[in-house]
Amino acid sequence: VQLQASGGGLVQAGGSLRLSCAASRRFFSIFTMGWYRQAPGKQRELVAVITSGNSTNYADSVKGRFIVSRDNAKNTVSLQMNSLKPEDTAVYYCNARGYIIGSAGTQEYWGQGTLVTVSS
């Protein structure tokens, strides 16, 4: 498993949750890390991404509420989700684009997904 996500769960609207994702030590370099989500019946969409230089990009729907952060030394990425809304309910996937020694080159990797449910 190259990416291991944790966190998620059930929370009431207005509440907060924190997701974390740890990348395997097999990564030689990781260019971007971030989070995507997929709600029932919808396509997977970008939530937030952060580069190795800490530049960030957020979906408009989460700007001002979610914060993505990264620890390059530990190869981890976190997503602090505040002021959660029922429409944030989805399976959240950790994502990394990087290079693992012995692999074919820079590739995109996905975590197993963690469910976030926001009740109204």
Side-chain angles (χ1 to χ4, degrees):
V1 176
Q2 311 302 349
L3 296 173
Q4 185 68 48
S6 61
L10 174 64
V11 65
Q12 287 189 331
S16 297
L17 280 176
R18 184 178 181 85
L19 305 181
S20 296
C21 178
S24 166
R25 293 184 177 183
R26 295 179 60 206
F27 277 96
F28 178 76
S29 59
I30 304 177
F31 303 109
T32 62
M33 299 186 78
W35 297 90
Y36 287 69
R37 67 186 181 188
Q38 187 167 17
K42 295 187 177 181
Q43 290 187 335
R44 190 174 297 188
E45 62 177 5
L46 170 73
V47 177
V49 66
I50 184 168
T51 70
S52 57
N54 286 326
S55 295
T56 57
N57 186 35
Y58 294 91
D60 288 342
S61 59
V62 307
K63 284 181 180 177
R65 300 188 297 123
F66 291 11
I67 300 172
V68 63
S69 60
R70 174 174 177 170
D71 186 330
N72 290 326
K74 296 181 179 180
N75 277 358
T76 59
V77 62
S78 297
L79 184 68
Q80 178 65 41
M81 304 184 292
N82 303 317
S83 302
L84 282 161
K85 304 175 181 180
E87 50 264 44
D88 294 318
T89 296
V91 176
Y92 284 70
Y93 295 91
C94 178
N95 173 275
R97 181 172 174 271
Y99 173 63
I100 291 179
I101 296 175
S103 68
T106 299
Q107 297 184 53
E108 193 168 36
Y109 298 86
W110 295 92
Q112 78 279 17
T114 183
L115 178 62
V116 172
T117 304
V118 184
S119 63
S120 56

